[in-house]
Amino acid sequence: TIAVTKSNAQSSTATNNPETLSFGLKLGANYSNVYDSDNEDFVADGKFGFAAGAFVSIPFGKFIGIQPEVMYSQKGFKSSGTYFGSTYEMTRTTNFIDVPVLFAVKPVEQVTLLFGPQFSFLMKQKDEFTGGNLSATQQQDFDNDDITKNILGLTGGADINVDNLVFGLRAGWDIKTNEGDGNSSTPRYKNMWYQATVGYRF
């Protein structure tokens, strides 16, 4: 009995050792919106979306390291207005594969601070439109050059570590617009989002 108890204790210590490479899975939600750094007259409301993925923690000692991740991430926005005297509402949902590469600082064992660049690949976009007696849904896979599918952004936040559980809070924003070729028919905007996740570290 003594030997088994000691073995389990050593295994737990290894799992939580900040100098040991580890990986995990997580899921949660985004609250996203869009902004325009050039002050274009475009107003939108935020929306919720799904987020899930995996991460690897690579330590360079006890206090610093890097944490690359791969996330499926839903973003988008809601907008409303008037068209020929009728009000309308539109919800845009964009599905991304996000790959952040984060610099990690661990001031205490329970907290990891993270910040770094993020590469995002746009997979598909769905617009849901309602106005008057009209209701329509349009889905695009982007076989044209009006939309930038590869977007660079920045993201940062903190992970709270409780044994093997990881509670994450992030904020992020694009530094490149979605518009690919400058076509005025494509609204110019950048994504911004807040993300909350719960993960398990192996």
Side-chain angles (χ1 to χ4, degrees):
T1 304
I2 294 175
V4 172
T5 302
K6 184 177 180 181
S7 175
N8 289 340
Q10 289 175 341
S11 175
S12 176
T13 301
T15 301
N16 294 285
N17 187 344
E19 298 184 47
T20 302
L21 185 145
S22 63
F23 72 97
L25 303 173
K26 62 180 180 177
L27 59 86
N30 293 331
Y31 182 74
S32 61
N33 205 333
V34 292
Y35 75 100
D36 179 40
S37 58
D38 294 333
N39 298 316
E40 189 174 83
D41 187 15
F42 182 75
V43 179
D45 296 319
K47 70 178 293 293
F48 286 97
F50 180 71
F55 61 91
V56 178
S57 297
I58 306 172
F60 298 136
K62 187 175 180 180
F63 299 107
I64 63 172
I66 61 171
Q67 184 166 302
E69 302 181 357
V70 178
M71 298 287 295
Y72 170 82
S73 184
Q74 286 185 333
K75 302 169 191 173
F77 60 90
K78 295 180 178 180
S79 65
S80 60
T82 58
Y83 184 73
F84 287 109
S86 298
T87 60
Y88 72 87
E89 294 183 354
M90 193 270 284
T91 300
R92 172 165 292 176
T93 302
T94 48
N95 299 329
F96 284 90
I97 296 296
D98 289 341
V99 184
V101 181
L102 305 169
F103 178 69
V105 178
K106 199 166 188 177
V108 295
E109 183 177 348
Q110 292 77 22
V111 178
T112 306
L113 305 178
L114 302 142
F115 183 80
Q118 175 171 289
F119 171 81
S120 299
F121 178 76
L122 178 60
M123 296 188 297
K124 65 177 59 178
Q125 173 179 294
K126 183 171 72 172
D127 293 338
E128 297 173 280
F129 179 90
T130 57
N133 297 322
L134 177 64
S135 179
T137 299
Q138 181 181 18
Q139 186 164 298
Q140 302 180 52
D141 292 324
F142 305 114
D143 55 357
N144 60 72
D145 296 327
D146 288 351
I147 296 290
T148 300
K149 295 185 286 289
N150 304 311
I151 301 174
L152 180 65
L154 296 172
T155 185
D159 284 348
I160 308 300
N161 309 292
V162 182
D163 295 327
N164 292 79
L165 295 178
V166 182
F167 301 91
L169 294 173
R170 304 280 175 81
W173 57 97
D174 293 343
I175 57 177
K176 184 177 182 180
T177 64
N178 74 314
E179 188 176 357
D181 64 355
N183 189 330
S184 61
S185 65
T186 300
R188 181 186 67 240
Y189 65 83
K190 302 176 183 179
N191 294 291
M192 58 184 294
W193 64 94
Y194 300 99
Q195 186 180 90
T197 57
V198 177
Y200 188 87
R201 188 187 304 274
F202 295 93

